[in-house]
Amino acid sequence: MRITVLAGGVGGARFALGLRDATAAADDIRIVANVGDDVWLAGVKVCPDLDSLLYALAGVGDTERGWGRAGESERVAAELTAYGVGWPWFTLGDLDLGTHLARSAMLRDGATLTEATARLAARWPIGATLLPATDDEVPTHVVTDEGTMHFEEWWVRTRAQVPARRFVQHGLERSRISPAARAVIADADVILLAPSNPVVSIGTILGIPGVRDALETATAPIVGVSPIIGGRAVRGMAAACLDTIGVEADAAAVAAHYGARSRGGLLDGWLLAEEDAGSLERVEALGIRAAARPLWLTAGEPAAQVARDALELSAAVRASAPAG
C-alpha cells in the first residue's frame, strides 16, 4: 500500500511514528512536509518541520523537548550568541547544526531541497520517504501590531502571545509543488492529513500552487486526523493560528475549514477524538464521512492505533465510493 501523508512538525512526527508502527514493512510511506517554517539563520538553512520528522523517524530526536536531537550540547550556540549572531532565543544544538551545515552545503552545491533531504535521510533507516512540499522558499511571516516577524520568532520568542493579524508566505505565488511531492500524491492508495497545525503547516502546504490540483485529481481517498481533542487544540498555540483566520478551535469547525472533497473542498473522511463524538453529525452534514476514536498520540501502541483508525476510515470511504 502506498500511503502519502501531509504533515507539519511535532504532531506530524508523532503521527508518522505511529503510522510506521501500524503498517507492514512492505508498505510505502511518503511524507510531504511543510517548509513554511524554514529560515536561513547564522548562514545555515534550518528546516524545523523536516528535521522534526527526520529525527523522530531516525530515533534520534529529543522526546522530552519535542524538538532537536537527543544528547545535545550547545557550545556553538553559546559562541554565536557571544558574537551577537543569530537569535539567542532560538538555540541550535551542536548536533542539529551538523544537519543544517550539511543541508546548506548541499544546497549551495546545487542540490534541490528534495535532493538534500534524501541525502540527509539516507543516514538512517527511517522507514519512510521524506519530501518537502516544494523546493522553493516560502517563509511564513506574521503580521502583528508590533510589526512583521518570521513565524519562528512569533512562535518561539513571543509564544504566540502577540496577537497575529495575518500570516503571509513570501514567494508562495511563485512557488510550485515539487515533482516528487506531486508524484506521491498522484500514485497514492491512501492520502492522510496528519494532526498538524491547519493554518501554518497543512495550510501552507495546501497554498503551494499545484498541491490542491494534485489532491483534486488524486484517486486515493483523503482522510484527515483532527488536531482538536475535547474542543481544544492539542498544541495550545495552534488555537491562536485558528483564531487569526476566524476558525473556532473545534473539530467540526476545522473539518468545515478544510471542506468536503465532494463539494469542492479537501476531505473524504475526518477522524475525530472520542471526546468530540458529539460533533460527528455536524461533520457528516458537511459531506465528510466521520468516525470518533482515541486520538492522543502517546508513543507506541496508542499512536499506532490512531494510524490504524485513520487507515480503517480511509478503507470505509473507498468502499462506500460509487462504482466507476
Side-chain angles (χ1 to χ4, degrees), residues 229 234 274-275 293-298 302-303 306:
I229 296 180
V234 176
E274 58 184 351
E275 294 90 336
R293 300 287 188 274
L295 288 192
W296 291 106
L297 291 170
T298 307
V306 173

Side-chain angles (χ1 to χ4, degrees), residues 182-299:
R182 182 185 291 278
V184 300
I185 290 173
D187 74 353
D189 297 309
V190 177
I191 299 173
L192 302 174
L193 268 61
S196 301
N197 191 307
V199 182
V200 293
S201 292
I202 303 298
T204 298
I205 295 173
L206 296 176
I208 295 167
V211 170
R212 282 192 177 271
D213 289 344
L215 292 168
E216 181 180 341
T217 56
T219 58
I222 302 175
V223 170
V225 179
S226 174
I228 307 296
I229 296 180
R232 299 182 63 181
V234 176
R235 290 180 61 78
M237 292 185 293
C241 297
L242 288 166
D243 184 63
T244 298
I245 65 169
V247 175
E248 185 182 356
D250 170 85
V254 174
H257 168 67
Y258 285 134
R261 195 178 184 191
S262 61
R263 302 176 185 178
L266 179 67
L267 297 173
D268 296 307
W270 187 237
L271 190 65
L272 295 81
E274 58 184 351
E275 294 90 336
D276 298 310
S279 295
L280 282 169
E281 289 187 7
R282 291 171 56 200
V283 176
E284 294 273 2
L286 297 169
I288 302 168
R289 187 173 183 126
R293 300 287 188 274
L295 288 192
W296 291 106
L297 291 170
T298 307

Side-chain angles (χ1 to χ4, degrees), residues 106-148:
M106 295 172 194
L107 294 174
R108 290 191 175 103
D109 286 343
T112 64
L113 184 58
T114 297
E115 293 166 341
T117 301
R119 289 177 62 184
L120 293 172
R123 177 180 176 184
W124 295 286
I126 66 172
T129 301
L130 187 56
L131 301 166
T134 180
D135 289 318
D136 301 312
E137 297 196 358
V138 290
T140 300
H141 286 73
V142 186
V143 179
T144 77
D145 289 342
E146 296 182 6
T148 300

Side-chain angles (χ1 to χ4, degrees), residues 39 41 44-56 60-62 65-77 80 90-104 120 123-124 152:
V39 60
L41 186 65
V44 296
K45 173 84 164 185
V46 181
C47 300
D49 285 4
L50 279 168
D51 292 338
S52 290
L53 287 156
L54 174 62
Y55 295 157
V60 299
D62 188 326
R65 292 190 301 179
W67 54 271
R69 293 279 297 274
E72 190 60 277
S73 55
E74 298 175 353
R75 295 185 66 188
V76 175
L80 290 173
F90 192 81
T91 303
L92 301 176
D94 297 337
L95 295 174
D96 196 28
L97 269 166
T99 301
H100 308 323
L101 285 164
R103 176 190 294 117
S104 303
L120 293 172
R123 177 180 176 184
W124 295 286
E152 288 296 332

